Amino acid sequence: MNTLPVLPSRTARPGYFITFEGGEGVGKSTQIQLLKEKLIELGKHVVTTREPGGTPAAEAIRAVLLGNQYQDLSDRAEAMLFAAARADVVANVVDPALAAGSVVLADRYFDSSVAYQGYARNLGAAEVKALSLWATRGLIPDLTVFLDLDPTVGMARVDQPDRLESLAMEFHIKVRNAFLDIANNEPERFVVVDASQSPAAISEQIYAAIKSRLSL
Ligand code: TYD
């Protein structure tokens, strides 16, 4: 009987892979910038990515995923396009940076797919995660920061909503609950930070968690 191929296991890498997750308007990009500055002061080489995007092909996929002209995009096509964009940025940007010993700070990674497509779109958390693991040859973050915020507060910060941001508040509430569930299931990988605090306070908590959990 044929057996399914097992995902190639990832060996220890010289770099660190830190991902940032959360709903809309929680301040991920501000926090990534603040952490990047601190790490550069420590002499680290830092690479940042934002999903979907980061390579020419992933940017083209982004235009399909977020463009308001593709309102009829099917849920499964959406899930596969996020995974395809992720596969490309991991192969071309993240993997080489980690191999070179850089710290990679990613604005969203597979937990976004699990929360948005797996939970909120009801496609199945395990299936969506498996798709991403296949796409990335099993790349799991060393640490994931979840910025937790009431979606009514986050959505009020969004001024030009894209295709996903235009979805009903009910969807965004599902996304938040999904992230809380995912984080709860993997406490050793996740740091959950209350994103209603000041940017400086949030940044300090993230930095403290990174110092205590990673030997950076
Ligand atoms: P973006 O404008 O980059 O938003 P943000 O600043 O909130 O990160 O848009 C990314 C959108 O795509 C956001 O609504 C979350 C969604 N998304 C998914 O649904 N699944 C995914 O796997 C990823 C990476 C993003």
Side-chain angles (χ1 to χ4, degrees), residues 22-25 28 50-52 62 66 78 82 86 107-110 112-114 116-117 162 164-165:
E24 314 299 331
K28 290 186 277 60
R50 176 190 69 159
E51 282 201 18
R62 178 184 179 89
L66 302 184
E78 178 182 293
F82 276 116
R86 182 163 305 128
D107 189 336
R108 299 193 181 279
Y109 190 57
F110 65 47
S112 278
S113 285
V114 176
Y116 282 78
Q117 283 69 50
D162 59 38
L164 286 157
E165 286 160 347

Side-chain angles (χ1 to χ4, degrees), residues 15-164:
Y16 287 95
F17 185 34
I18 303 172
T19 60
F20 285 71
E21 299 284 3
E24 314 299 331
V26 299
K28 290 186 277 60
S29 47
T30 304
Q31 289 306 321
I32 288 172
Q33 189 53 37
L34 291 171
L35 180 60
K36 180 179 179 177
E37 285 162 16
K38 283 189 187 159
L39 293 175
I40 288 173
E41 270 172 33
L42 288 179
K44 305 289 171 200
H45 186 264
V46 180
V47 170
T48 58
T49 63
R50 176 190 69 159
E51 282 201 18
T55 64
E59 291 295 331
I61 295 170
R62 178 184 179 89
V64 175
L65 279 166
L66 302 184
N68 279 313
Q69 67 270 47
Y70 302 112
Q71 294 297 338
D72 293 336
L73 184 68
S74 69
D75 292 353
R76 280 167 196 267
E78 178 182 293
M80 295 192 80
L81 288 173
F82 276 116
R86 182 163 305 128
D88 205 51
V89 76
V90 166
N92 288 309
V93 179
V94 179
D95 271 348
L98 292 175
S102 301
V103 181
V104 178
L105 305 180
D107 189 336
R108 299 193 181 279
Y109 190 57
F110 65 47
D111 297 301
S112 278
S113 285
V114 176
Y116 282 78
Q117 283 69 50
Y119 282 71
R121 293 275 198 220
N122 261 317
L123 294 178
E127 289 85 345
V128 169
K129 187 167 180 180
L131 178 65
S132 256
L133 285 172
W134 181 82
T136 62
R137 295 169 52 250
L139 178 64
I140 295 174
D142 295 299
L143 192 85
T144 299
V145 178
F146 168 49
L147 296 176
D148 184 35
L149 187 66
D150 178 343
T152 52
V153 177
M155 287 305 293
R157 298 179 183 164
V158 172
D159 52 349
Q160 287 191 322
D162 59 38
R163 192 178 59 85
L164 286 157

Side-chain angles (χ1 to χ4, degrees), residues 1-9 130-131 133-135 137-138:
M1 193 179 83
N2 283 337
T3 48
L4 285 172
V6 174
L7 280 173
S9 66
L131 178 65
L133 285 172
W134 181 82
R137 295 169 52 250

